Amino acid sequence: MRYAVLGTGMVGRTVAARLNSLGHDVVMGTRDPEATADRDEFAAWRAGERGAAGVGLAGFAEATLHGETLVNATAGKASVAILTKAGAAHLHGRILIDVANPLDYSHGFPPTLQPVNDDSLGERIQRTFPGLRVVKTLNTMNCRIMVDPARVPGEHTVFLSGEDPEAKAEVRALLHAFGWPEASVLDLGGIETARGAEMLLPVWLRLMGALGHTDFNFHVQGARRGSTGLVPGADA
Amino acid sequence: MRYAVLGTGMVGRTVAARLNSLGHDVVMGTRDPEATADRDEFAAWRAGERGAAGVGLAGFAEATLHGETLVNATAGKASVAILTKAGAAHLHGRILIDVANPLDYSHGFPPTLQPVNDDSLGERIQRTFPGLRVVKTLNTMNCRIMVDPARVPGEHTVFLSGEDPEAKAEVRALLHAFGWPEASVLDLGGIETARGAEMLLPVWLRLMGALGHTDFNFHVQGARRGSTGLVPGADA
């Protein structure tokens, strides 16, 4: 399978290397491929990381054309603009795996989200590119855990949000290849549920602060029990 | 210990009955005590629920004066106004346990949050009533689980947010009395971290939709491991 991984930061590199290790044909997309290739950090990754050596590097548009499946690992604030320039508007039927978060650092740390609450990055991408089959997933954990869930011992959860059941089924298969057990994958529903997944970031950030590390993930405990009840704190 | 539980919806009733069962002296606060007492649902609860019979009912101000410790179980959108009318501005040194969520149903279901993202209900209450020692907790689960965590088998998490370490220590003791193991209580930090806890509600709502029940809770898996990493999706 040909993958385009858009974004050459740590998330993009981690996902690209893992896909390549699994035998996929991966090209990473970046704004300026020559400048990226020259950066020490990138060159070191290319030379040293398992799975990195076979990964291609190209501009966003060229990478996007290459990929049968796209992975959005760009900074969430830039994702729609990047996908637009990459020509995503002309792509119909391709799956876009959106692992980004629309973090807003303009007011310092910790970042807030933009959009948030009555919209989400996942929805924005789906709305802007109706031909793409957007699946929001993996955005709620450190990138090392995305591709190696056993890094966190015990059971924990990866969410799916998207309109297209077949696209979600294909993403499930990829998650399984990454090492996620079937029972760990929780389908929240349509792309609107990306709001919930993205709004896990504020508590994620504060957990990083409180715990002093990022080797944790959320687990939905009790997902299989059955009972009804009320929304917490909704005493209207 | 004298408790004032503000709010007579399911959350307030559940917490009040549990506190009463533990031997505390509990008065619930409501806008119109006579009207509340007359409601079938409330009368049935009073007569039938274990722990309910000994609970007092009064107006918000009277209940607030009664309580050495306050519990905010009002609708989050109304909390600040209710606490203002209840004279909370004149209370210094009392702990307020804030279990509410600022849910906004004005645009239908599922509700959004107001405030959100760059503010939170917990912070608003603390800012408005600087003399109160606000501790945000228990707002991230169905009320039955708040007072009986064993309802969800296995390990799962209750968060704390607040500025006052001694207030948090007292709330920890109450959580322990409710059945929460020490290891399940996760202190996120200051009251600003209430943002993270409140922003768990959108995914909570969508989990309720996806799972068809509310007998679940979040667990932070791997909280005790140690490593560093990057913020997910922050390829800036």
Side-chain angles (χ1 to χ4, degrees):
Chain A
M1 166 85 81
R2 295 198 312 272
Y3 278 88
V5 176
L6 306 180
T8 52
M10 190 157 180
V11 179
R13 299 198 300 266
T14 301
V15 172
R18 186 75 164 106
L19 288 168
N20 188 52
S21 296
L22 288 169
H24 296 292
D25 174 358
V26 186
V27 174
M28 297 178 74
T30 189
R31 196 174 305 277
D32 181 341
E34 286 176 18
T36 297
D38 281 347
R39 279 209 290 270
D40 290 345
E41 167 185 76
F42 191 86
W45 170 78
R46 211 61 176 292
E49 180 83 12
R50 191 164 67 86
V55 174
L57 182 67
F60 286 127
E62 192 183 329
T64 296
L65 280 172
H66 170 88
E68 292 165 305
T69 297
L70 314 178
V71 178
N72 177 33
T74 61
K77 288 200 79 179
S79 298
V80 172
I82 286 170
L83 286 164
T84 301
K85 282 176 53 176
H90 309 295
L91 299 174
H92 289 269
R94 293 197 209 186
I95 292 172
L96 177 103
I97 304 174
D98 178 22
V99 309
N101 288 301
L103 298 168
D104 180 356
Y105 289 90
S106 65
H107 302 285
F109 196 90
T112 51
L113 297 173
Q114 180 62 248
V116 69
N117 203 29
D118 59 0
D119 197 4
S120 63
L121 175 62
E123 291 167 90
R124 251 188 211 183
I125 294 174
Q126 183 64 85
R127 204 158 62 228
T128 309
F129 309 103
L132 287 182
R133 302 151 72 197
V134 181
V135 181
K136 185 97 210 180
T137 191
L138 290 171
N139 65 299
T140 55
M141 65 196 79
N142 175 263
C143 58
R144 293 187 189 92
I145 300 167
M146 291 181 191
V147 300
D148 179 20
R151 190 179 172 92
V152 177
E155 292 181 39
H156 52 97
T157 304
V158 55
F159 301 102
L160 291 178
S161 303
E163 295 300 303
D164 184 323
E166 285 170 24
K168 285 196 277 191
E170 286 198 45
V171 173
R172 271 185 188 271
L174 180 64
L175 293 173
H176 183 71
F178 280 177
W180 289 93
E182 182 66 36
S184 295
V185 182
L186 206 157
D187 188 343
L188 289 173
I191 196 62
E192 184 266 5
T193 64
R195 265 176 234 189
E198 290 175 18
M199 287 171 80
L200 279 168
L201 264 291
V203 78
W204 189 96
L205 288 159
R206 286 153 182 86
L207 283 165
M208 175 175 71
L211 301 176
H213 68 85
T214 58
D215 276 335
F216 62 86
N217 190 19
F218 303 102
H219 180 228
V220 180
Q221 186 70 32
R224 279 174 210 75
R225 287 274 308 265
S227 172
T228 57
L230 281 179
V231 176
D235 284 29
Chain B
M1 166 83 80
R2 296 199 311 272
Y3 278 87
V5 176
L6 306 181
T8 52
M10 191 159 178
V11 179
R13 299 198 301 266
T14 302
V15 172
R18 186 74 164 107
L19 288 169
N20 188 53
S21 298
L22 288 170
H24 296 292
D25 174 358
V26 186
V27 173
M28 295 178 75
T30 188
R31 195 175 305 278
D32 181 341
E34 285 177 19
T36 297
D38 280 348
R39 279 209 290 270
D40 289 345
E41 167 185 76
F42 191 85
W45 170 78
R46 213 58 177 295
E49 181 83 12
R50 191 164 67 87
V55 174
L57 182 66
F60 286 127
E62 193 183 330
T64 297
L65 280 173
H66 170 88
E68 291 165 306
T69 296
L70 315 177
V71 178
N72 178 32
T74 62
K77 287 201 80 179
S79 299
V80 172
I82 286 170
L83 286 165
T84 301
K85 281 175 55 175
H90 309 295
L91 299 173
H92 289 270
R94 291 196 210 188
I95 292 173
L96 177 102
I97 304 174
D98 179 21
V99 309
N101 288 302
L103 298 168
D104 181 355
Y105 289 90
S106 65
H107 301 286
F109 195 90
T112 50
L113 296 173
Q114 181 61 249
V116 69
N117 203 30
D118 60 359
D119 197 5
S120 63
L121 175 61
E123 291 167 89
R124 250 186 211 184
I125 294 174
Q126 183 63 84
R127 205 159 61 228
T128 310
F129 308 104
L132 287 182
R133 301 151 74 198
V134 180
V135 180
K136 185 95 210 182
T137 191
L138 290 170
N139 66 299
T140 54
M141 65 196 78
N142 176 262
C143 57
R144 294 187 190 92
I145 300 166
M146 292 180 192
V147 299
D148 180 19
R151 190 179 171 91
V152 177
E155 292 181 38
H156 52 96
T157 304
V158 56
F159 301 102
L160 291 178
S161 304
E163 296 299 304
D164 185 322
E166 283 170 24
K168 286 196 279 191
E170 286 198 44
V171 173
R172 272 184 187 271
L174 180 63
L175 293 173
H176 183 72
F178 280 177
W180 290 91
E182 182 67 34
S184 296
V185 182
L186 205 158
D187 187 344
L188 289 172
I191 195 62
E192 184 267 3
T193 64
R195 264 175 235 190
E198 290 174 18
M199 289 172 79
L200 279 168
L201 263 290
V203 78
W204 188 97
L205 288 160
R206 286 152 181 86
L207 283 165
M208 175 175 71
L211 300 176
H213 69 86
T214 58
D215 276 335
F216 62 86
N217 189 21
F218 303 102
H219 180 226
V220 179
Q221 186 70 31
R224 278 174 211 75
R225 286 275 308 265
S227 172
T228 56
L230 281 177
V231 175
D235 284 29

